[in-house]
Amino acid sequence: MLTVEQVLASNKANVETLLGLTSKVFEGVEKMVEINLTASKAALAETGEHAKALLSVKDAQELMALQSSLLQPLAEKTAAYSRHLYEISAGSTAELSKTFEGQAAEAQKKFLGLVESASKNAPAGSESAVAVMKSAVTAANNALESVQKAVKQATEAAESNFNAVAASAADAAKPASKKR
């Protein structure tokens, strides 16, 4: 049985974990707001500069050249902005995942301790039931580890695909701006 001190300690640890997670989430939101403000300010300044440049155009050929010169930097900035947002999101997700994995490992450890304690105090003749219980716990732990590995692999694949798409988009913008 759990003692009052153990329950209080568990609750305290859970509250501390929740506060830590909340802090990490707010850090991520703060970074995203900062990057959005910076991008908005830059976009506003660039729009003003582009408007001035458009007003100084004298013929259609100069207009086409101006538009071509604006295309590649825009694609590169968009890719960089997306990459920053992804990095912030991935960093926050990694921190949250690490915390959840730690909590899950601790919960597994405590549960295994309870199962061991229960098996030692089990009445005579219940060895087969205890063996089934231990087997079920082991199977559940193995399943959880498999899921965690699959999630990590999927996350790595998504990150790799994102990086490939971002690089491809930036590379595609280079020839497009040169053709015009």
mmCIF file of all heavy atoms in Angstrom, residues 26 37-38 40 43 45 54 57 73 106 126 137 140 154 159-160 163 168 171-172 176 178:
data_model
loop_
_atom_site.group_PDB
_atom_site.id
_atom_site.type_symbol
_atom_site.label_atom_id
_atom_site.label_comp_id
_atom_site.label_asym_id
_atom_site.label_seq_id
_atom_site.Cartn_x
_atom_site.Cartn_y
_atom_site.Cartn_z
ATOM 1 N N PHE A 26 5.368 27.813 -23.061
ATOM 2 C CA PHE A 26 5.358 29.273 -23.187
ATOM 3 C C PHE A 26 6.641 29.789 -23.828
ATOM 4 O O PHE A 26 6.603 30.775 -24.572
ATOM 5 C CB PHE A 26 5.107 29.939 -21.835
ATOM 6 C CG PHE A 26 3.648 30.064 -21.510
ATOM 7 C CD1 PHE A 26 3.090 29.295 -20.503
ATOM 8 C CD2 PHE A 26 2.830 30.929 -22.221
ATOM 9 C CE1 PHE A 26 1.739 29.384 -20.210
ATOM 10 C CE2 PHE A 26 1.478 31.035 -21.934
ATOM 11 C CZ PHE A 26 0.933 30.257 -20.924
ATOM 12 N N LEU A 37 6.886 38.628 -35.256
ATOM 13 C CA LEU A 37 7.049 40.086 -35.203
ATOM 14 C C LEU A 37 8.227 40.539 -36.065
ATOM 15 O O LEU A 37 8.122 41.510 -36.818
ATOM 16 C CB LEU A 37 7.237 40.562 -33.761
ATOM 17 C CG LEU A 37 5.989 40.604 -32.908
ATOM 18 C CD1 LEU A 37 6.347 40.948 -31.457
ATOM 19 C CD2 LEU A 37 4.998 41.616 -33.442
ATOM 20 N N THR A 38 9.323 39.832 -35.960
ATOM 21 C CA THR A 38 10.498 40.171 -36.759
ATOM 22 C C THR A 38 10.196 40.040 -38.249
ATOM 23 O O THR A 38 10.541 40.922 -39.038
ATOM 24 C CB THR A 38 11.683 39.248 -36.375
ATOM 25 O OG1 THR A 38 11.926 39.391 -34.977
ATOM 26 C CG2 THR A 38 12.924 39.587 -37.149
ATOM 27 N N SER A 40 7.261 40.163 -39.695
ATOM 28 C CA SER A 40 6.284 41.188 -40.085
ATOM 29 C C SER A 40 6.949 42.538 -40.281
ATOM 30 O O SER A 40 6.656 43.255 -41.249
ATOM 31 C CB SER A 40 5.181 41.306 -39.030
ATOM 32 O OG SER A 40 4.454 40.111 -38.951
ATOM 33 N N ALA A 43 8.948 42.362 -43.482
ATOM 34 C CA ALA A 43 8.060 42.363 -44.647
ATOM 35 C C ALA A 43 7.508 43.764 -44.911
ATOM 36 O O ALA A 43 7.415 44.201 -46.066
ATOM 37 C CB ALA A 43 6.914 41.379 -44.450
ATOM 38 N N ALA A 45 8.924 46.656 -44.095
ATOM 39 C CA ALA A 45 10.014 47.480 -44.625
ATOM 40 C C ALA A 45 10.301 47.136 -46.082
ATOM 41 O O ALA A 45 10.487 48.037 -46.920
ATOM 42 C CB ALA A 45 11.264 47.292 -43.777
ATOM 43 N N LEU A 54 9.153 50.106 -57.573
ATOM 44 C CA LEU A 54 8.157 50.015 -58.645
ATOM 45 C C LEU A 54 7.806 51.389 -59.197
ATOM 46 O O LEU A 54 7.580 51.549 -60.402
ATOM 47 C CB LEU A 54 6.892 49.321 -58.143
ATOM 48 C CG LEU A 54 6.962 47.807 -58.024
ATOM 49 C CD1 LEU A 54 5.718 47.265 -57.332
ATOM 50 C CD2 LEU A 54 7.134 47.162 -59.393
ATOM 51 N N VAL A 57 10.291 52.653 -61.872
ATOM 52 C CA VAL A 57 10.446 51.885 -63.109
ATOM 53 C C VAL A 57 10.038 52.758 -64.300
ATOM 54 O O VAL A 57 9.022 53.452 -64.269
ATOM 55 C CB VAL A 57 9.588 50.602 -63.043
ATOM 56 C CG1 VAL A 57 9.513 49.933 -64.401
ATOM 57 C CG2 VAL A 57 10.153 49.657 -62.017
ATOM 58 N N PRO A 73 14.930 36.112 -53.502
ATOM 59 C CA PRO A 73 15.034 36.447 -52.070
ATOM 60 C C PRO A 73 13.748 36.137 -51.305
ATOM 61 O O PRO A 73 13.794 35.707 -50.158
ATOM 62 C CB PRO A 73 15.328 37.950 -52.059
ATOM 63 C CG PRO A 73 15.922 38.234 -53.393
ATOM 64 C CD PRO A 73 15.275 37.261 -54.337
ATOM 65 N N GLU A 106 9.543 6.382 -15.164
ATOM 66 C CA GLU A 106 9.391 6.398 -13.701
ATOM 67 C C GLU A 106 8.123 5.654 -13.289
ATOM 68 O O GLU A 106 8.130 4.885 -12.322
ATOM 69 C CB GLU A 106 9.357 7.842 -13.194
ATOM 70 C CG GLU A 106 9.312 7.972 -11.693
ATOM 71 C CD GLU A 106 10.554 7.435 -10.996
ATOM 72 O OE1 GLU A 106 11.632 7.420 -11.600
ATOM 73 O OE2 GLU A 106 10.421 7.014 -9.826
ATOM 74 N N SER A 126 -0.481 -19.088 -5.799
ATOM 75 C CA SER A 126 -0.838 -18.072 -6.790
ATOM 76 C C SER A 126 0.329 -17.759 -7.721
ATOM 77 O O SER A 126 0.333 -16.734 -8.388
ATOM 78 C CB SER A 126 -1.304 -16.792 -6.089
ATOM 79 O OG SER A 126 -0.247 -16.266 -5.303
ATOM 80 N N VAL A 137 2.884 -7.331 -17.775
ATOM 81 C CA VAL A 137 3.610 -6.080 -17.547
ATOM 82 C C VAL A 137 4.801 -5.986 -18.504
ATOM 83 O O VAL A 137 5.046 -4.935 -19.102
ATOM 84 C CB VAL A 137 4.067 -5.973 -16.066
ATOM 85 C CG1 VAL A 137 5.045 -4.830 -15.877
ATOM 86 C CG2 VAL A 137 2.870 -5.809 -15.155
ATOM 87 N N ALA A 140 3.506 -5.179 -21.950
ATOM 88 C CA ALA A 140 3.090 -3.776 -22.035
ATOM 89 C C ALA A 140 4.296 -2.856 -22.142
ATOM 90 O O ALA A 140 4.299 -1.898 -22.925
ATOM 91 C CB ALA A 140 2.236 -3.409 -20.823
ATOM 92 N N ALA A 154 9.309 8.221 -36.990
ATOM 93 C CA ALA A 154 8.394 9.039 -37.789
ATOM 94 C C ALA A 154 8.777 10.514 -37.705
ATOM 95 O O ALA A 154 8.732 11.231 -38.712
ATOM 96 C CB ALA A 154 6.959 8.840 -37.309
ATOM 97 N N GLU A 159 11.138 15.230 -40.302
ATOM 98 C CA GLU A 159 12.148 16.297 -40.313
ATOM 99 C C GLU A 159 12.983 16.216 -41.583
ATOM 100 O O GLU A 159 13.262 17.227 -42.224
ATOM 101 C CB GLU A 159 13.040 16.184 -39.083
ATOM 102 C CG GLU A 159 14.059 17.289 -38.980
ATOM 103 C CD GLU A 159 14.841 17.254 -37.685
ATOM 104 O OE1 GLU A 159 14.529 16.447 -36.804
ATOM 105 O OE2 GLU A 159 15.774 18.061 -37.561
ATOM 106 N N SER A 160 13.365 15.010 -41.953
ATOM 107 C CA SER A 160 14.151 14.825 -43.166
ATOM 108 C C SER A 160 13.364 15.276 -44.404
ATOM 109 O O SER A 160 13.903 15.961 -45.277
ATOM 110 C CB SER A 160 14.534 13.352 -43.298
ATOM 111 O OG SER A 160 15.188 13.119 -44.515
ATOM 112 N N ASN A 163 13.151 19.123 -44.479
ATOM 113 C CA ASN A 163 14.410 19.717 -44.939
ATOM 114 C C ASN A 163 14.592 19.539 -46.439
ATOM 115 O O ASN A 163 15.057 20.447 -47.122
ATOM 116 C CB ASN A 163 15.592 19.113 -44.171
ATOM 117 C CG ASN A 163 15.611 19.552 -42.725
ATOM 118 O OD1 ASN A 163 15.080 20.597 -42.367
ATOM 119 N ND2 ASN A 163 16.220 18.753 -41.876
ATOM 120 N N SER A 168 14.568 21.916 -51.750
ATOM 121 C CA SER A 168 14.056 21.813 -53.115
ATOM 122 C C SER A 168 13.338 23.089 -53.540
ATOM 123 O O SER A 168 13.500 23.566 -54.663
ATOM 124 C CB SER A 168 13.128 20.607 -53.193
ATOM 125 O OG SER A 168 12.227 20.708 -54.230
ATOM 126 N N ASP A 171 15.927 25.774 -54.149
ATOM 127 C CA ASP A 171 16.639 25.506 -55.400
ATOM 128 C C ASP A 171 15.756 25.783 -56.614
ATOM 129 O O ASP A 171 16.231 26.263 -57.637
ATOM 130 C CB ASP A 171 17.130 24.057 -55.446
ATOM 131 C CG ASP A 171 18.258 23.800 -54.457
ATOM 132 O OD1 ASP A 171 18.856 24.782 -53.967
ATOM 133 O OD2 ASP A 171 18.530 22.616 -54.161
ATOM 134 N N ALA A 172 14.465 25.498 -56.508
ATOM 135 C CA ALA A 172 13.547 25.733 -57.617
ATOM 136 C C ALA A 172 13.365 27.221 -57.879
ATOM 137 O O ALA A 172 13.153 27.636 -59.019
ATOM 138 C CB ALA A 172 12.192 25.086 -57.333
ATOM 139 N N ALA A 176 14.031 29.816 -61.556
ATOM 140 C CA ALA A 176 12.844 30.574 -61.959
ATOM 141 C C ALA A 176 13.148 32.051 -62.010
ATOM 142 O O ALA A 176 12.673 32.763 -62.889
ATOM 143 C CB ALA A 176 11.702 30.274 -60.988
ATOM 144 N N LYS A 178 16.049 33.377 -62.545
ATOM 145 C CA LYS A 178 17.041 33.640 -63.604
ATOM 146 C C LYS A 178 16.396 33.613 -64.988
ATOM 147 O O LYS A 178 16.859 34.275 -65.895
ATOM 148 C CB LYS A 178 18.164 32.618 -63.528
ATOM 149 C CG LYS A 178 19.030 32.815 -62.306
ATOM 150 C CD LYS A 178 20.120 31.775 -62.246
ATOM 151 C CE LYS A 178 20.945 31.967 -60.973
ATOM 152 N NZ LYS A 178 21.937 30.927 -60.793
#
